[in-house]
Amino acid sequence: RSVADDRLLATLAASTNLPVYVAEWSADGRFLAVKRDYPGGGLRSDREIWELPPVTEAVAGVDLMELMIRIAAGEKLPFGQERAAEIRCHAIEHRINAEDPENDFMPCPGKIESLELPGGAGVRVDTHVYEGYTIPSHYDSLIAKLVVSAGDRPAALRRSLRALGELKVGGIKTTTGMHALIVAHPVFQKGDFDTHFIEKTGLLAREKEAAHA
């Protein structure tokens, strides 16, 4: 651990008024800080690239991996907080899973018989799969992140529909069609939705009907 790491742990201990020790530390800088005398309590800090970096990179116009490497090499950030908070566009990330929406999103492992990925301005696909790849049943069902960016939300939604329509995965079931139904729905386009959006709109039932049509 570095001096900066020890200072961070000291800050955590001071803020909780309880002793703090590192229960887990990994090579990429992740740690799990656990408060003694407080069973089950803890705080995990991930200083790593994780769930949504493509969206951050799109709206901020930066390469996070490059920045992490430069900082690890001892360089300073090439910009201040004002630049870091600058939003340049709107971005949407579609997490494409090998799941069957008409069967309660049951994972759908198997061989990808054909694959067509969308492209063009403002379209990014992060994926590890390829035509002929076999999706195992032992891991996360995520097969691709489709990230679409545009000048504003309406344009990003239109671009999303186009990109989702171009994304073709043969041989397995995916959530691509469900994403398209969501993006096309007037309630979603207005931005007036909550965590019960799927149930309220009956989109899952529509997906099942479309699959059997």
Side-chain angles (χ1 to χ4, degrees):
R1 301 203 307 266
S2 67
V3 173
D5 295 327
D6 290 332
R7 287 174 180 169
L8 176 58
L9 292 177
T11 301
L12 287 172
S15 65
T16 59
N17 295 317
L18 290 170
V20 175
Y21 71 98
V22 175
E24 173 189 322
W25 199 282
S26 61
D28 61 3
R30 293 179 294 174
F31 69 87
L32 175 64
V34 179
K35 296 182 290 184
R36 292 177 183 170
D37 307 322
Y38 188 62
L43 174 66
R44 171 173 169 158
S45 174
D46 285 325
R47 289 173 291 175
E48 61 175 336
I49 293 293
W50 195 235
E51 295 292 340
L52 298 172
V55 169
T56 303
E57 291 180 337
V59 299
V62 298
D63 185 326
L64 293 179
M65 285 300 300
E66 178 184 353
L67 289 176
M68 288 184 70
I69 293 171
R70 289 183 178 279
I71 292 170
E75 297 183 20
K76 294 183 178 181
L77 279 174
F79 48 79
Q81 186 59 39
E82 285 188 8
R83 171 65 183 83
E86 183 180 328
I87 303 299
R88 299 188 167 195
C89 64
H90 192 96
I92 302 172
E93 177 175 303
H94 301 278
R95 299 173 66 82
I96 307 301
N97 288 53
E99 297 176 355
D100 185 359
E102 62 175 303
N103 191 21
D104 296 323
F105 293 94
M106 180 74 71
C108 188
K111 183 178 180 180
I112 296 178
E113 297 176 355
S114 61
L115 179 64
E116 296 180 28
L117 300 177
V123 176
R124 168 177 171 175
V125 181
D126 290 357
T127 184
H128 63 286
V129 303
Y130 50 86
E131 189 171 314
Y133 176 80
T134 298
I135 300 171
S137 59
H138 310 294
Y139 304 101
D140 193 309
S141 61
L142 179 68
I143 60 172
K145 294 179 182 180
L146 170 60
V147 183
V148 178
S149 58
D152 54 32
R153 188 169 186 271
L157 291 172
R158 292 192 298 270
R159 187 166 285 172
S160 287
L161 280 174
R162 190 263 299 169
L164 288 165
E166 293 179 354
L167 177 57
K168 309 290 185 182
V169 184
I172 61 169
K173 301 281 188 178
T174 75
T175 55
T176 304
M178 192 69 188
H179 280 267
L181 285 176
I182 292 171
V183 171
H185 199 283
V187 173
F188 185 83
Q189 295 199 359
K190 289 179 181 178
D192 183 21
F193 58 90
D194 54 30
T195 54
H196 299 288
F197 168 73
I198 301 296
E199 292 85 354
K200 288 178 179 178
T201 56
L203 280 180
L204 190 55
R206 288 177 55 189
E207 170 72 6
K208 292 180 180 180
E209 290 175 2
H212 292 289

